[in-house]
Amino acid sequence: MAAPGENLRIDGHRLWDSLMEMAKIGPGIAGGNNRQTLTDEDAEGRRLFQKWCEAEGLTVAVDQMGTMFARREGTDPDALPVYVGSHLDTQPTGGKYDGVLGVLGGLEVIRTLNRLGIKTRHPIVVTNWTNEEGTRFAPAMLASGVFAGVIDQDWAYAREDAKGLRFGDELARIGFKGDEPVGNRPMKAFFELHIEQGPILEEEGKDIGVVTHGQGLRWIQCTVTGKESHTGSTPMRMRRNAGRGLAQITELVHEIAMKHQPNAVGAIGHIDVYPNSRNIIPGRVVFTIDFRSHILPTLEAMAAELMERAPKICEGLGLGFESEIVGQFDPPAFDGACVKAIREAAERLGYSHMDIVSGAGHDACWINRVAPTAMVMCPCVDGLSHNEAEEITPEWAEKGANVLFHAVVETAEIVE
Ligand code: HGY
Ligand code: MN
Ligand code: MN
C-alpha cells in the first residue's frame, strides 16, 4: 500500500483548540474534568462531538450501548472500514486528555483529509466508546467489551452506580440508547491514540510509544462484614471492626504486588465504608482490588494468593469475607501489521519512538479480540493521569495525531 505523502500533517492548532473546547464541558474543581459516563456532562460532550462530526459530513450512528460511530465514506462502499477512536468519558478527578485525545485525534484525521480533498478506498469511522473508565459503572471498557462479545449486554444494562441508578436507564435518560445492535461492525483495523498515563516515554525522551502489548487486569470486589457498634462504649475485646480487615488486605495487596516486581501492580482505589459515621465501628466495608500484569501467570498467581489469604485474615479478625470479580481481561498482544504501520509512520515522520507495554486498560484491549488493532501513545507530564493535573504538550498531541493519521490513512488506502 502506498504510504501517505511524507509531507502530510494534521493541524496541531486545530486539534489543540478542539481539546480545549471539549475540556470546558464537565470541568473539574482543579483544572481537569469530571465528565463521568452517562451524566448530563457526558451527554453534552457527546452532542458537541456529534456536531463536529456532522460539520465534517460524517454520518453518526449510535448503538444499543451508546457507542458513537461517525463514518466518512470511502470510494469502495464494500471495503471494510478503518476504525479510529477512544472515549470521551472521564474519571471524577480526570484529566483533559485521557481518551479525549484519541477521539478528537480521530476527528482531526477526518478534518485533515477533508481540507486536503483526499479520498480513501476504505471508509473511516471515528468512534466514541461508552464507559471506558468504569468508575461510575464497573467494569472499565464496558461498551467495547459488549462489542467484542465478552460482556453480556443485559448484565451491562443492570450495572448500578453508587446511587443505585442502572446503566441502561441512565443511557436512555441522556438520549444515547441507540437502536443499532452492538458488535455487528466488521473492521479492517482499529487504531487508538492515547496518552501513556505513565512516566516511561517522558523519562526516555521519546515522542511516540508504539504499543505492542497491554497489561491484563483483575478487579476483585470484596465485602468485609463485622458489627456496627459504639466507638466509645464498646470494649475492645467485643469489637468486630470491618475497617481492620480493609487495612490488612490493603497491605496484603501491596505485599503481593511487590513480590512480583517489576511485572506487577496492585492497589485498592474504590472503598465504601458503612455506615461511615465518626462514632460507629464500621460494620461493612466494600472495596475493589485492582491487580495488573502483562504476564498472565503472574496476574493469575496474584489473584490466587489474594483469594487464599484474605478470607483467613478476616476469619482471624472475626469478620465475614465475600468477593466477586467485577472486571477482568488477559494481557493483549496487538496486531503485528497494525503495530508495524504505527512504527513505520513514526519512522517516516522522523519522530523518536520506542515499543511500550500499556500500563492502563483501553477499549483497544477488547477490540483487539475482534479486529486487527494497535495503539499509539504520546508522553504525559510526570507520567501523571487520573488526576486533574494531567498535562501533555501541544507538540506531543500533534506528533501522536500525525502518527495516527499516517497509520490510519495508509491502512485506508489513499485513492489518487
Ligand atoms: O482502568 C484503566 O486502565 C482505564 O484507565 N480505564
Ligand atoms: Mn483512557
Ligand atoms: Mn482513564
Side-chain angles (χ1 to χ4, degrees):
M1 272 175 283
E6 305 284 316
N7 61 340
L8 287 181
R9 296 290 188 277
I10 58 103
D11 181 329
H13 296 294
R14 184 171 56 208
L15 171 58
W16 194 258
D17 290 349
S18 295
L19 286 166
M20 294 304 110
E21 195 63 28
M22 182 61 75
K24 291 175 188 167
I25 298 175
I29 55 173
N33 275 111
N34 178 7
R35 196 171 53 243
Q36 296 181 61
T37 196
L38 308 190
T39 58
D40 293 338
E41 294 76 16
D42 181 25
E44 191 184 344
R46 287 164 169 265
R47 287 192 293 270
L48 177 59
F49 171 61
Q50 178 152 356
K51 187 181 86 176
W52 282 342
C53 289
E54 289 169 348
E56 293 300 325
L58 305 184
T59 49
V60 179
V62 181
D63 76 8
Q64 290 171 2
M65 283 295 289
T67 295
M68 302 171 76
F69 301 99
R71 177 183 170 110
R72 181 182 199 254
E73 291 307 329
T75 57
D76 176 355
D78 299 327
L80 283 185
V82 175
Y83 283 68
V84 56
S86 190
H87 62 93
L88 292 174
D89 66 307
T90 76
Q91 289 283 333
T93 53
K96 299 190 282 285
Y97 313 98
D98 172 1
V100 186
L101 178 62
V103 177
L104 299 187
L107 176 60
E108 178 54 32
V109 169
I110 301 298
R111 285 172 166 167
T112 301
L113 291 172
N114 284 348
R115 299 304 174 280
L116 298 175
I118 293 176
K119 289 186 175 31
T120 58
R121 186 166 85 80
H122 294 260
I124 297 173
V125 181
V126 186
T127 309
N128 169 32
W129 297 102
T130 301
N131 191 29
E132 188 281 340
E133 291 294 358
T135 179
R136 183 184 175 198
F137 298 100
M141 296 98 80
L142 187 61
S144 51
V146 174
F147 186 95
V150 292
I151 296 176
D152 174 78
Q153 185 168 311
D154 290 338
W155 182 84
Y157 276 177
R159 303 301 291 157
E160 291 185 1
D161 68 4
K163 293 180 187 146
L165 296 173
R166 291 175 73 258
F167 178 94
D169 298 340
E170 284 293 278
L171 184 63
R173 183 185 67 80
I174 67 165
F176 278 90
K177 189 174 183 180
D179 296 328
E180 179 183 312
V182 178
N184 183 22
R185 283 179 166 266
M187 304 177 178
K188 180 180 182 188
F190 174 69
F191 291 98
E192 182 168 3
L193 165 62
H194 207 288
I195 62 173
E196 179 198 339
Q197 300 183 291
I200 299 168
L201 293 176
E202 188 182 41
E203 285 176 355
E204 297 296 328
K206 303 294 184 190
D207 290 326
I208 297 293
V210 179
V211 186
T212 57
H213 300 75
Q215 286 200 118
L217 167 150
R218 294 290 184 272
W219 276 4
I220 305 166
Q221 181 172 299
C222 303
T223 301
V224 173
T225 46
K227 185 174 182 181
E228 291 158 31
S229 59
H230 199 300
T231 52
S233 54
T234 308
M236 293 305 282
R237 59 183 164 77
M238 288 176 62
R239 296 183 179 205
R240 289 173 47 221
N241 182 346
R244 294 185 68 204
L246 166 65
Q248 294 191 20
I249 292 172
T250 298
E251 278 306 313
L252 172 63
V253 167
H254 186 82
E255 176 200 326
I256 291 171
M258 294 311 288
K259 199 183 283 185
H260 293 276
Q261 289 308 297
N263 301 317
V265 290
I268 295 173
H270 150 248
I271 299 173
D272 288 321
V273 181
Y274 300 92
N276 202 27
S277 164
R278 290 177 180 77
N279 40 14
I280 298 179
I281 292 166
R284 182 162 56 90
V285 183
V286 181
F287 52 93
T288 304
I289 295 165
D290 183 329
F291 275 141
R292 310 210 190 184
S293 172
H294 65 282
I295 302 168
L296 183 56
T298 299
L299 187 59
E300 289 173 335
M302 293 162 76
E305 183 174 353
L306 186 285
M307 289 309 295
E308 199 261 325
R309 293 176 60 186
K312 289 180 180 146
I313 286 173
C314 291
E315 191 184 351
L317 296 170
L319 303 173
F321 177 85
E322 292 169 49
S323 66
E324 176 193 0
I325 296 281
V326 294
Q328 62 177 329
F329 61 88
D330 293 345
F334 291 114
D335 175 80
C338 290
V339 171
K340 182 166 173 281
I342 285 173
R343 190 180 295 113
E344 289 180 352
E347 293 281 354
R348 189 183 312 133
L349 290 159
Y351 296 157
S352 58
H353 61 88
M354 62 183 284
D355 287 4
I356 193 169
V357 173
S358 173
H362 304 285
D363 295 307
C365 297
W366 280 141
I367 304 308
N368 186 52
R369 290 182 176 225
V370 293
T373 297
M375 296 186 71
V376 49
M377 284 189 169
C378 75
C380 48
V381 175
D382 299 337
L384 188 63
S385 182
H386 284 196
N387 182 307
E388 291 205 46
E390 175 187 280
E391 204 47 73
I392 64 174
T393 68
E395 293 71 31
W396 285 340
E398 181 170 354
K399 289 180 175 178
N402 271 323
V403 170
L404 183 73
F405 175 87
H406 276 246
V408 166
V409 172
E410 178 182 346
T411 307
E413 298 173 28
I414 288 181
V415 173
E416 302 300 339

